[in-house]
Amino acid sequence: MSKKQESKKQSMRPMLVAFGIIALALGAYAIFSNTQKDVNEEVVVVNTEESLVTVLNEGNFKQITDQGVVLIDFWATWCPPCRIQNPIVEDVAAEIGDKARIAKLDVDQNGRLAALYEVRNIPTLIIFKDGEPARRFVGVTQKETLLEAINELL
């Protein structure tokens, strides 16, 4: 191979690397775009009448949290760990029954409340007792941990 051909081959290398990076980025975008669709489909499941979890917003937040023990899952539709947390929260609601209320609050639709309770990472789960935050969990939290914390506050 001549020096000219070798020089041309080496000058093409950065362009090939750039194309590879672009292809990787497009692939990642396609994967996460599909994940977003799946998350939105799951949100419909959360809001069905069959769910034992109350959906909170700024209009009903104070009324729901004022009395008793209330576990609130601060979440968002685009959050993969929130998708993992969702069935755990549903299980807690089924097991705890009428002893406490279990609720969800979408941080994208209720940003003021999320900011008020300093929710910086999701999922964040806060247990309220008579309107005041009593316990906080950040990240995916197991059912047993949540049940134990709720039962301690009852």
Side-chain angles (χ1 to χ4, degrees):
M1 191 182 300
S2 72
K3 282 188 177 187
K4 190 174 184 179
Q5 287 175 327
E6 191 173 315
S7 174
K8 188 175 180 180
K9 184 178 176 182
Q10 286 183 354
S11 68
M12 295 284 290
R13 186 170 292 149
M15 187 170 59
L16 291 172
V17 169
F19 281 131
I21 292 170
I22 291 169
L24 257 162
L26 289 172
Y29 174 77
I31 289 169
F32 287 113
S33 292
N34 288 338
T35 300
Q36 179 66 36
K37 289 176 188 169
D38 293 341
V39 170
N40 287 336
E41 290 168 9
E42 186 167 331
V43 169
V44 173
V45 173
V46 169
N47 293 323
T48 64
E49 292 178 18
E50 297 170 12
S51 176
L52 299 172
V53 178
T54 304
V55 177
L56 296 180
N57 57 45
E58 291 199 23
N60 67 0
F61 186 89
K62 185 167 176 45
Q63 176 188 4
I64 299 291
T65 59
D66 261 356
Q67 293 181 345
V69 176
V70 183
L71 168 71
I72 301 175
D73 176 12
F74 290 81
W75 68 291
T77 58
W78 49 264
C79 166
C82 298
R83 292 177 61 200
I84 296 167
Q85 187 69 62
N86 179 57
I88 296 169
V89 170
E90 290 285 345
D91 287 347
V92 169
E95 191 160 325
I96 207 71
D98 293 336
K99 292 190 252 178
R101 264 195 133 141
I102 311 300
K104 295 181 85 59
L105 183 112
D106 186 329
V107 297
D108 288 337
Q109 295 177 5
N110 301 281
R112 190 184 70 77
L113 284 170
L116 179 66
Y117 292 102
E118 300 176 354
V119 175
R120 293 186 178 94
N121 299 300
I122 52 174
T124 290
L125 297 106
I126 302 176
I127 303 174
F128 286 76
K129 180 161 178 134
D130 298 327
E132 295 297 321
R135 295 284 309 269
R136 173 185 293 256
F137 303 92
V138 178
V140 175
T141 307
Q142 296 305 312
K143 179 175 95 171
E144 295 75 20
T145 304
L146 295 171
L147 287 170
E148 182 179 316
I150 292 169
N151 284 321
E152 285 176 5
L153 294 169
L154 288 174

